[in-house]
Amino acid sequence: MTTELDRIAYTASVTATGGRAGHARSDDGLLDVDLRPPVALGGPGGATNPEQLFAAGYAACFQGALGVAGRRNKIDTARSVVTAEVSMGPVGDAFGLAVVLDVEIPGVDEATCRKLADEAHAVCPYSNATRGNISVEIRARVAE
């Protein structure tokens, strides 16, 4: 099922050249990065890669969605931490992604963290874009 937007609230525009061993730049110039395949994939490393950029976007977006869930439940999530691990590997003749999201919310128990993480997963745009397409595991952790 394709998700249709009710309205467009924001559009990001990034142009990539040279593929995985190239460059990416946003239309406003705030993102301006070289791209290199990681050493683990036989590349030279030394620059960011698409999986790191996806992980950064997903972690930041999910943390924002966690804030929405926190406000709805009257729980402060301002000091929460979300770490996204994005893995890439073969899927038949193609390649696919898998994501693990580690969620920590200081001051709450594991059950509350899990509840808020599940609610965030329901409203996060990245979660909605990936749902049913790739594996996304959410780990709710007690912050130390």
Side-chain angles (χ1 to χ4, degrees):
M1 180 174 94
T2 301
T3 301
E4 298 292 334
L5 300 177
D6 293 337
R7 66 179 177 82
I8 295 174
Y10 170 74
T11 300
S13 178
V14 175
T15 300
T17 56
R20 296 184 70 82
H23 193 85
R25 184 175 192 284
S26 61
D27 61 346
D28 61 7
L30 294 175
L31 177 71
D32 194 353
V33 295
D34 288 326
L35 303 168
R36 298 289 179 271
V39 173
L41 294 179
T48 194
N49 59 68
E51 291 72 39
Q52 288 175 327
L53 295 170
F54 185 75
Y58 203 159
C61 189
F62 197 89
Q63 203 279 333
L66 202 56
V68 171
R71 285 188 297 281
R72 289 179 178 171
N73 287 275
K74 297 180 177 41
I75 297 172
D76 183 9
T77 61
R79 296 185 308 127
S80 62
V81 176
V82 176
T83 301
E85 297 175 0
V86 174
S87 300
M88 183 179 71
V91 178
D93 292 334
F95 289 89
L97 300 174
V99 175
V100 174
L101 298 171
D102 279 313
V103 180
E104 295 182 12
I105 307 170
V108 303
D109 60 23
E110 187 174 341
T112 302
C113 184
R114 164 63 53 199
K115 176 184 186 311
L116 294 176
D118 288 346
E119 289 181 20
H121 191 47
V123 299
C124 174
Y126 276 68
S127 292
N128 287 324
T130 60
R131 187 169 288 109
N133 297 309
I134 65 172
S135 170
V136 177
E137 177 186 351
I138 300 172
R139 297 180 186 153
R141 301 183 184 271
V142 174
E144 297 180 24

